[in-house]
Amino acid sequence: ELSIPVDHRNRVTFGPPGCPVAVVGADVWDLKQNKTTAKLADPFTEDGLRAVSAQGKLFAAGSKSPNQTGTAVAVWDTATGKRVLDVPAAPTAYVDVLALSRDKYLIVGGRHSRELAVWDVETGKVVKRLTVPDRRVEQGRVFFSQDGRYFAGTAHDRI
């Protein structure tokens, strides 16, 4: 039986279905072993968007809650708890979409933009920019295939 103790101040971040890891506050929780396996080395804002990669190897968090400009994003290795990538905040950019793909890529985008920036976590560089079909990027309107090769976006009543 799985039982995760949760403090009322800590939020739980689950990955996609089948992901073996959850992040509870700063604790990395192995769902198969039913125990904490690492602790994130640096604090993060729990009100920001958060994501866990499909295999549970990476955790990402925005530095501010949604609907704010100047939001940075940090990525941690869940095995070690160490921060592995810092995406700097842009003064006029929002972070309304935050996703991890293939345990290697961070996807970030926001309102007033039709682009998603794809960051390679290992190199720390943007490797691609994807254009979405609507006038702006929104969380819950952009989806990625489990293998990370494809994405779909909803625009009004069309995919």
Side-chain angles (χ1 to χ4, degrees):
E1 181 176 300
L2 179 63
S3 176
I4 302 172
V6 178
D7 183 299
H8 72 282
R9 294 168 293 195
N10 295 328
R11 295 199 176 162
V12 179
T13 308
F14 290 101
C19 176
V21 168
V23 175
V24 181
D27 294 327
V28 178
W29 195 271
D30 185 307
L31 299 174
K32 292 181 181 178
Q33 296 179 32
N34 198 19
K35 68 178 185 176
T36 299
T37 55
K39 190 169 205 66
L40 301 179
D42 305 298
F44 63 94
T45 302
E46 292 200 35
D47 289 338
L49 292 179
R50 300 172 318 278
V52 176
S53 63
Q55 298 302 312
K57 294 180 182 179
L58 299 173
F59 169 73
S63 65
K64 295 180 181 180
S65 60
N67 301 321
Q68 296 187 56
T69 57
T71 302
V73 176
V75 179
W76 288 262
D77 178 317
T78 59
T80 65
K82 292 183 181 178
R83 195 183 312 212
V84 294
L85 176 65
D86 286 300
V87 175
T92 60
Y94 294 84
V95 175
D96 295 321
V97 171
L98 179 68
L100 290 160
S101 176
R102 296 171 51 189
D103 289 315
K104 180 177 174 156
Y105 300 106
L106 169 70
I107 296 104
V108 179
R111 68 186 65 211
H112 307 302
S113 174
R114 292 184 60 213
E115 282 191 345
L116 295 169
V118 180
W119 290 78
D120 184 313
V121 172
E122 294 171 5
T123 66
K125 297 181 190 245
V126 174
V127 293
K128 185 178 263 191
R129 294 196 183 271
L130 305 172
T131 302
V132 297
D134 202 358
R135 65 185 177 280
R136 69 184 211 183
V137 177
E138 292 182 40
Q139 187 75 3
R141 294 184 65 176
V142 178
F143 306 92
F144 297 89
S145 63
Q146 198 164 21
D147 65 4
R149 293 180 56 205
Y150 303 99
F151 82 100
T154 59
H156 310 287
D157 61 348
R158 295 176 26 212
I159 295 177

